[in-house]
Amino acid sequence: GEYVREVWQVRMTTFNLAGPRYLIAVLALPFTSLACLAQQPPAPHDSFPGANRMAAHHVRLQGSERPEFHWNGIRGMQSRCVEGLRIPVELPPPDTVLQRLTTDVYYTETHLIEFEARTSTFISSQCRLEVETHRMIKVTHPYGVCNLDPARRRARGQCAASYTGRPLRINNPAVLGQAGLRRLGNDGTLGCTQYQWDVLGNQMTVCIQTTTESWRSLSARGSGAFEGLWVALRVQNTAASGEILVETRATSVERNIRVSRDLLDIAGTQGYEIREVGPPPR
């Protein structure tokens, strides 16, 4: 039969534009049909418990990470297996996305909640073609960030339940490297405005849907032109390689939906072991 191994892992920091992290795994599973990956899971709010509802916007972003890098890596591993170890191993079809990203983002009055799934297709050190899915949850609020590891049921950061009931709104920070920001125009398909600027030597392009409901903005990531729903993201290496580092695009945008208020306090309502970082809530 065919199997999918799901490895749940928290990402403890925001992703590094200068150098995304890569996975090295030693597994012994047969190749999983890529058709399984096409089955889209329901959005978290469709299955998350909690009857007390609140208003939110929801965006699902899907895309890929560093296609050239991962294809070079999987070809190199195939060569090592075939030529060095004399173990035959097939490459996946050439149109396979080796690092597939799916992120469900929720914008509420005070919180930004992100569910991320990173599905990797690779050749393991045992010369088997395998697929893994790593997941993380991150809750950003006016008093900090809570990172959650669903596999170990652990949460780290500003995660205490007493944070969730506070009325203070997020204080919009400045965006790193906002100098040199250029407006590129509108994307008619997604209905958003494109902006481009350089961040740490990489060219970053985002497309943002603005909203008159200013409190429902992605204010945890920036202010000014960056307020709104981020519905496309592209990061390209500005060095000679010109490699695409990350590219994601909205496949679903829902405004003014009703979601469980438990999303604000996943660690508390789901019984996570909480490790508070920083001063205790007052």
Side-chain angles (χ1 to χ4, degrees), residues 97-120:
V97 179
L98 298 183
Q99 282 281 325
R100 185 183 302 276
L101 306 176
T102 300
T103 306
D104 286 285
V105 185
Y106 294 90
Y107 309 78
T108 77
E109 185 171 9
T110 56
H111 288 57
L112 173 70
I113 303 108
E114 299 171 89
F115 293 79
E116 182 184 286
R118 181 187 302 264
T119 300
S120 306

mmCIF file of all heavy atoms in Angstrom, residues 97-120:
data_model
loop_
_atom_site.group_PDB
_atom_site.id
_atom_site.type_symbol
_atom_site.label_atom_id
_atom_site.label_comp_id
_atom_site.label_asym_id
_atom_site.label_seq_id
_atom_site.Cartn_x
_atom_site.Cartn_y
_atom_site.Cartn_z
ATOM 1 N N VAL A 97 6.322 19.277 -7.181
ATOM 2 C CA VAL A 97 6.761 20.350 -6.285
ATOM 3 C C VAL A 97 7.383 19.681 -5.064
ATOM 4 O O VAL A 97 6.687 19.056 -4.262
ATOM 5 C CB VAL A 97 5.583 21.257 -5.875
ATOM 6 C CG1 VAL A 97 6.057 22.344 -4.924
ATOM 7 C CG2 VAL A 97 4.933 21.869 -7.103
ATOM 8 N N LEU A 98 8.701 19.802 -4.911
ATOM 9 C CA LEU A 98 9.401 19.071 -3.859
ATOM 10 C C LEU A 98 9.181 19.686 -2.482
ATOM 11 O O LEU A 98 9.258 18.974 -1.473
ATOM 12 C CB LEU A 98 10.901 19.019 -4.160
ATOM 13 C CG LEU A 98 11.291 18.292 -5.454
ATOM 14 C CD1 LEU A 98 12.804 18.258 -5.601
ATOM 15 C CD2 LEU A 98 10.718 16.877 -5.484
ATOM 16 N N GLN A 99 8.970 20.993 -2.408
ATOM 17 C CA GLN A 99 8.681 21.661 -1.144
ATOM 18 C C GLN A 99 7.374 22.430 -1.308
ATOM 19 O O GLN A 99 7.364 23.560 -1.812
ATOM 20 C CB GLN A 99 9.815 22.611 -0.755
ATOM 21 C CG GLN A 99 11.025 21.919 -0.166
ATOM 22 C CD GLN A 99 10.823 21.537 1.297
ATOM 23 O OE1 GLN A 99 10.182 22.249 2.051
ATOM 24 N NE2 GLN A 99 11.381 20.406 1.695
ATOM 25 N N ARG A 100 6.284 21.814 -0.913
ATOM 26 C CA ARG A 100 4.961 22.417 -1.077
ATOM 27 C C ARG A 100 4.555 23.088 0.233
ATOM 28 O O ARG A 100 4.630 22.494 1.307
ATOM 29 C CB ARG A 100 3.949 21.343 -1.463
ATOM 30 C CG ARG A 100 2.550 21.877 -1.770
ATOM 31 C CD ARG A 100 1.604 20.724 -2.058
ATOM 32 N NE ARG A 100 2.069 19.901 -3.165
ATOM 33 C CZ ARG A 100 1.844 20.172 -4.439
ATOM 34 N NH1 ARG A 100 1.163 21.258 -4.781
ATOM 35 N NH2 ARG A 100 2.300 19.387 -5.387
ATOM 36 N N LEU A 101 4.109 24.348 0.143
ATOM 37 C CA LEU A 101 3.715 25.124 1.312
ATOM 38 C C LEU A 101 2.217 25.395 1.284
ATOM 39 O O LEU A 101 1.675 25.793 0.251
ATOM 40 C CB LEU A 101 4.463 26.464 1.355
ATOM 41 C CG LEU A 101 5.989 26.405 1.271
ATOM 42 C CD1 LEU A 101 6.558 27.824 1.220
ATOM 43 C CD2 LEU A 101 6.564 25.654 2.454
ATOM 44 N N THR A 102 1.559 25.189 2.401
ATOM 45 C CA THR A 102 0.151 25.558 2.562
ATOM 46 C C THR A 102 0.015 26.276 3.900
ATOM 47 O O THR A 102 0.391 25.723 4.938
ATOM 48 C CB THR A 102 -0.779 24.332 2.544
ATOM 49 O OG1 THR A 102 -0.648 23.656 1.295
ATOM 50 C CG2 THR A 102 -2.230 24.755 2.733
ATOM 51 N N THR A 103 -0.490 27.502 3.868
ATOM 52 C CA THR A 103 -0.651 28.281 5.090
ATOM 53 C C THR A 103 -2.070 28.821 5.163
ATOM 54 O O THR A 103 -2.536 29.478 4.227
ATOM 55 C CB THR A 103 0.345 29.456 5.145
ATOM 56 O OG1 THR A 103 1.673 28.957 4.974
ATOM 57 C CG2 THR A 103 0.264 30.174 6.489
ATOM 58 N N ASP A 104 -2.747 28.530 6.260
ATOM 59 C CA ASP A 104 -4.047 29.122 6.547
ATOM 60 C C ASP A 104 -3.834 30.260 7.540
ATOM 61 O O ASP A 104 -3.326 30.039 8.646
ATOM 62 C CB ASP A 104 -4.995 28.078 7.137
ATOM 63 C CG ASP A 104 -5.487 27.090 6.097
ATOM 64 O OD1 ASP A 104 -6.343 27.484 5.286
ATOM 65 O OD2 ASP A 104 -4.998 25.942 6.077
ATOM 66 N N VAL A 105 -4.212 31.475 7.134
ATOM 67 C CA VAL A 105 -3.979 32.669 7.956
ATOM 68 C C VAL A 105 -5.327 33.256 8.352
ATOM 69 O O VAL A 105 -6.218 33.424 7.514
ATOM 70 C CB VAL A 105 -3.159 33.722 7.183
ATOM 71 C CG1 VAL A 105 -2.813 34.896 8.086
ATOM 72 C CG2 VAL A 105 -1.883 33.097 6.622
ATOM 73 N N TYR A 106 -5.451 33.587 9.636
ATOM 74 C CA TYR A 106 -6.668 34.207 10.157
ATOM 75 C C TYR A 106 -6.340 35.586 10.717
ATOM 76 O O TYR A 106 -5.388 35.738 11.488
ATOM 77 C CB TYR A 106 -7.283 33.333 11.260
ATOM 78 C CG TYR A 106 -7.776 32.017 10.745
ATOM 79 C CD1 TYR A 106 -6.938 30.908 10.709
ATOM 80 C CD2 TYR A 106 -9.062 31.880 10.240
ATOM 81 C CE1 TYR A 106 -7.363 29.701 10.198
ATOM 82 C CE2 TYR A 106 -9.498 30.667 9.725
ATOM 83 C CZ TYR A 106 -8.651 29.590 9.710
ATOM 84 O OH TYR A 106 -9.080 28.392 9.197
ATOM 85 N N TYR A 107 -7.116 36.571 10.312
ATOM 86 C CA TYR A 107 -6.977 37.939 10.770
ATOM 87 C C TYR A 107 -8.163 38.248 11.675
ATOM 88 O O TYR A 107 -9.312 38.201 11.217
ATOM 89 C CB TYR A 107 -7.009 38.907 9.592
ATOM 90 C CG TYR A 107 -6.075 38.583 8.451
ATOM 91 C CD1 TYR A 107 -6.383 37.587 7.530
ATOM 92 C CD2 TYR A 107 -4.905 39.299 8.282
ATOM 93 C CE1 TYR A 107 -5.539 37.303 6.476
ATOM 94 C CE2 TYR A 107 -4.053 39.030 7.227
ATOM 95 C CZ TYR A 107 -4.375 38.023 6.329
ATOM 96 O OH TYR A 107 -3.532 37.745 5.288
ATOM 97 N N THR A 108 -7.930 38.540 12.936
ATOM 98 C CA THR A 108 -9.012 38.907 13.841
ATOM 99 C C THR A 108 -8.750 40.307 14.379
ATOM 100 O O THR A 108 -7.791 40.965 13.979
ATOM 101 C CB THR A 108 -9.130 37.914 15.012
ATOM 102 O OG1 THR A 108 -8.095 38.179 15.962
ATOM 103 C CG2 THR A 108 -9.035 36.475 14.523
ATOM 104 N N GLU A 109 -9.572 40.741 15.308
ATOM 105 C CA GLU A 109 -9.447 42.102 15.814
ATOM 106 C C GLU A 109 -8.098 42.342 16.472
ATOM 107 O O GLU A 109 -7.522 43.421 16.370
ATOM 108 C CB GLU A 109 -10.565 42.393 16.814
ATOM 109 C CG GLU A 109 -10.571 43.834 17.290
ATOM 110 C CD GLU A 109 -11.812 44.145 18.092
ATOM 111 O OE1 GLU A 109 -12.566 43.216 18.423
ATOM 112 O OE2 GLU A 109 -12.022 45.337 18.378
ATOM 113 N N THR A 110 -7.571 41.355 17.162
ATOM 114 C CA THR A 110 -6.313 41.534 17.889
ATOM 115 C C THR A 110 -5.277 40.466 17.582
ATOM 116 O O THR A 110 -4.136 40.597 18.011
ATOM 117 C CB THR A 110 -6.565 41.513 19.405
ATOM 118 O OG1 THR A 110 -7.219 40.284 19.741
ATOM 119 C CG2 THR A 110 -7.417 42.693 19.836
ATOM 120 N N HIS A 111 -5.647 39.398 16.884
ATOM 121 C CA HIS A 111 -4.747 38.265 16.718
ATOM 122 C C HIS A 111 -4.529 37.905 15.255
ATOM 123 O O HIS A 111 -5.399 38.114 14.413
ATOM 124 C CB HIS A 111 -5.317 37.031 17.436
ATOM 125 C CG HIS A 111 -5.245 37.093 18.920
ATOM 126 N ND1 HIS A 111 -5.815 38.111 19.652
ATOM 127 C CD2 HIS A 111 -4.674 36.247 19.829
ATOM 128 C CE1 HIS A 111 -5.612 37.899 20.942
ATOM 129 N NE2 HIS A 111 -4.923 36.774 21.072
ATOM 130 N N LEU A 112 -3.351 37.352 15.006
ATOM 131 C CA LEU A 112 -3.005 36.760 13.711
ATOM 132 C C LEU A 112 -2.669 35.298 13.981
ATOM 133 O O LEU A 112 -1.746 35.012 14.741
ATOM 134 C CB LEU A 112 -1.812 37.482 13.097
ATOM 135 C CG LEU A 112 -1.222 36.871 11.829
ATOM 136 C CD1 LEU A 112 -2.204 37.046 10.677
ATOM 137 C CD2 LEU A 112 0.106 37.528 11.481
ATOM 138 N N ILE A 113 -3.420 34.375 13.389
ATOM 139 C CA ILE A 113 -3.225 32.950 13.646
ATOM 140 C C ILE A 113 -2.813 32.285 12.343
ATOM 141 O O ILE A 113 -3.475 32.448 11.315
ATOM 142 C CB ILE A 113 -4.498 32.298 14.200
ATOM 143 C CG1 ILE A 113 -4.952 33.008 15.476
ATOM 144 C CG2 ILE A 113 -4.257 30.827 14.494
ATOM 145 C CD1 ILE A 113 -6.179 33.832 15.304
ATOM 146 N N GLU A 114 -1.711 31.530 12.368
ATOM 147 C CA GLU A 114 -1.176 30.901 11.163
ATOM 148 C C GLU A 114 -1.011 29.394 11.376
ATOM 149 O O GLU A 114 -0.346 28.966 12.317
ATOM 150 C CB GLU A 114 0.169 31.521 10.796
ATOM 151 C CG GLU A 114 0.093 33.011 10.496
ATOM 152 C CD GLU A 114 1.464 33.649 10.353
ATOM 153 O OE1 GLU A 114 1.993 33.665 9.224
ATOM 154 O OE2 GLU A 114 2.007 34.105 11.368
ATOM 155 N N PHE A 115 -1.606 28.610 10.497
ATOM 156 C CA PHE A 115 -1.419 27.160 10.456
ATOM 157 C C PHE A 115 -0.597 26.869 9.201
ATOM 158 O O PHE A 115 -1.067 27.128 8.094
ATOM 159 C CB PHE A 115 -2.753 26.432 10.365
ATOM 160 C CG PHE A 115 -3.623 26.561 11.579
ATOM 161 C CD1 PHE A 115 -4.374 27.706 11.792
ATOM 162 C CD2 PHE A 115 -3.709 25.531 12.507
ATOM 163 C CE1 PHE A 115 -5.198 27.822 12.901
ATOM 164 C CE2 PHE A 115 -4.521 25.643 13.621
ATOM 165 C CZ PHE A 115 -5.267 26.790 13.822
ATOM 166 N N GLU A 116 0.592 26.323 9.359
ATOM 167 C CA GLU A 116 1.439 26.056 8.197
ATOM 168 C C GLU A 116 1.723 24.568 8.055
ATOM 169 O O GLU A 116 2.016 23.881 9.038
ATOM 170 C CB GLU A 116 2.766 26.803 8.302
ATOM 171 C CG GLU A 116 3.660 26.579 7.081
ATOM 172 C CD GLU A 116 5.021 27.228 7.213
ATOM 173 O OE1 GLU A 116 5.098 28.459 7.107
ATOM 174 O OE2 GLU A 116 5.994 26.491 7.439
ATOM 175 N N ALA A 117 1.641 24.076 6.812
ATOM 176 C CA ALA A 117 2.025 22.707 6.476
ATOM 177 C C ALA A 117 3.084 22.769 5.387
ATOM 178 O O ALA A 117 2.887 23.414 4.355
ATOM 179 C CB ALA A 117 0.816 21.905 6.008
ATOM 180 N N ARG A 118 4.212 22.110 5.613
ATOM 181 C CA ARG A 118 5.319 22.073 4.647
ATOM 182 C C ARG A 118 5.534 20.618 4.247
ATOM 183 O O ARG A 118 5.987 19.808 5.051
ATOM 184 C CB ARG A 118 6.574 22.663 5.281
ATOM 185 C CG ARG A 118 7.792 22.705 4.370
ATOM 186 C CD ARG A 118 9.002 23.163 5.180
ATOM 187 N NE ARG A 118 8.752 24.467 5.770
ATOM 188 C CZ ARG A 118 9.139 25.625 5.230
ATOM 189 N NH1 ARG A 118 9.801 25.628 4.085
ATOM 190 N NH2 ARG A 118 8.890 26.772 5.842
ATOM 191 N N THR A 119 5.175 20.272 3.008
ATOM 192 C CA THR A 119 5.281 18.897 2.533
ATOM 193 C C THR A 119 6.526 18.746 1.678
ATOM 194 O O THR A 119 6.690 19.461 0.688
ATOM 195 C CB THR A 119 4.029 18.500 1.729
ATOM 196 O OG1 THR A 119 2.880 18.619 2.575
ATOM 197 C CG2 THR A 119 4.130 17.070 1.237
ATOM 198 N N SER A 120 7.386 17.819 2.059
ATOM 199 C CA SER A 120 8.677 17.623 1.393
ATOM 200 C C SER A 120 8.719 16.260 0.710
ATOM 201 O O SER A 120 8.377 15.242 1.313
ATOM 202 C CB SER A 120 9.823 17.702 2.413
ATOM 203 O OG SER A 120 9.761 18.904 3.152
#
